[in-house]
């Protein structure tokens, strides 16, 4: 799902709600329920997506990677400067690296990823001083909602 939506998502919470909607779609498709959305500098939604590893049989089809690819196509540039990425779960190393490479300005996320998080929990790739680009990070945005959908999904697997 990727279209520029001219609607103002001024708060981080409004942005995260879009990502949570995507996480619910992932849940319904039996995917780990992680959703992501990317917004331009005017707080307009560029695109949103969710994990698609099972559906696409692709180990790299994480929500973050998918929206970075889609936004680059829409904007006609791999440099996604002055954008905000909202994701329901703290990105892992692959996604955190891609966020830096794409030149994302701000990352907001919901739940901490204590087993694989690379935007604070285990590593902090987006703010590593040795890299040429640094990302502003705001965590714990609607974290209870993000944690609840993940818990529900994994509880259903036990």
């Amino acid at each position: 799902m990727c279209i520029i939506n001219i609607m103002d998502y001024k708060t981080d919470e409004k942005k995260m709600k879009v990502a949570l909607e995507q996480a619910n779609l992932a849940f319904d498709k039996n995917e780990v329920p992680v959703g992501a959305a990317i917004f331009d500098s005017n707080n307009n939604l560029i695109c949103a997506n969710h994990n698609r590893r099972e559906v696409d049989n692709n180990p790299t089809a994480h929500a973050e990677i998918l929206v970075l690819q889609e936004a680059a196509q829409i904007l006609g540039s791999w440099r996604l400067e002055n954008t905000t990425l909202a994701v329901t779960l703290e990105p892992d190393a692959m996604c955190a690296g891609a966020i830096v490479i794409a030149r994302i300005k701000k990352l907001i996320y919901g739940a901490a990823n204590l087993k694989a998080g690379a935007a604070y929990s285990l590593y902090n790739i987006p703010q590593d001083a040795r890299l040429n680009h640094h990302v502003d990070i705001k965590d714990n945005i609607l974290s209870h909602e993000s944690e609840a959908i993940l818990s529900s999904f994994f509880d259903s697997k036990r």
Side-chain angles (χ1 to χ4, degrees), residues 72 83 136:
T83 60
D136 295 330

Side-chain angles (χ1 to χ4, degrees), residues 7 21 30 35 46 49 51 61 71 82 99 113 139 155:
M7 185 173 165
E21 290 171 6
N30 205 31
I46 298 169
N49 214 323
N51 275 1
N82 298 314
I99 290 165
N113 186 348
D139 61 356
D155 286 348

Side-chain angles (χ1 to χ4, degrees), residues 9 11-24 33 35 39 86-90 108-112 138-151:
Y9 297 92
T11 67
D12 292 340
E13 290 76 14
K14 286 182 180 181
K15 291 176 177 79
M16 187 60 68
K17 285 181 182 181
V18 176
L20 282 163
E21 290 171 6
Q22 290 295 313
N24 281 305
F39 302 84
V87 63
T88 58
L89 180 65
E90 178 186 359
I108 61 173
Y109 67 85
K138 190 167 179 192
D139 61 356
N140 293 316
I141 306 299
L142 301 181
S143 60
H144 296 298
E145 292 87 337
S146 296
E147 291 164 358
I149 191 168
L150 286 162
S151 293

Side-chain angles (χ1 to χ4, degrees), residues 86-146:
V87 63
T88 58
L89 180 65
E90 178 186 359
D92 65 7
M94 174 183 69
C95 296
I99 290 165
V100 170
I101 290 167
R103 310 293 196 269
I104 297 295
K105 182 176 183 176
K106 182 179 179 183
L107 166 67
I108 61 173
Y109 67 85
N113 186 348
L114 301 178
K115 294 184 179 181
Y120 181 74
S121 294
L122 298 179
Y123 309 100
N124 193 348
I125 293 170
Q127 295 181 329
D128 190 316
R130 298 168 292 182
L131 300 175
N132 66 334
H133 178 74
H134 305 105
V135 180
D136 295 330
I137 299 175
K138 190 167 179 192
D139 61 356
N140 293 316
I141 306 299
L142 301 181
S143 60
H144 296 298
E145 292 87 337
S146 296

Side-chain angles (χ1 to χ4, degrees), residues 12-64:
D12 292 340
E13 290 76 14
K14 286 182 180 181
K15 291 176 177 79
M16 187 60 68
K17 285 181 182 181
V18 176
L20 282 163
E21 290 171 6
Q22 290 295 313
N24 281 305
L25 292 173
F27 186 98
D28 293 342
K29 295 177 183 174
N30 205 31
E31 294 277 355
V32 174
V34 176
I38 192 164
F39 302 84
D40 68 17
S41 61
N42 294 316
N43 299 309
N44 296 309
L45 175 64
I46 298 169
C47 63
N49 214 323
H50 53 77
N51 275 1
R52 297 183 50 86
R53 292 186 304 173
E54 300 298 332
V55 170
D56 294 350
N57 289 313
N58 180 347
T60 66
H62 290 207
E64 302 95 308

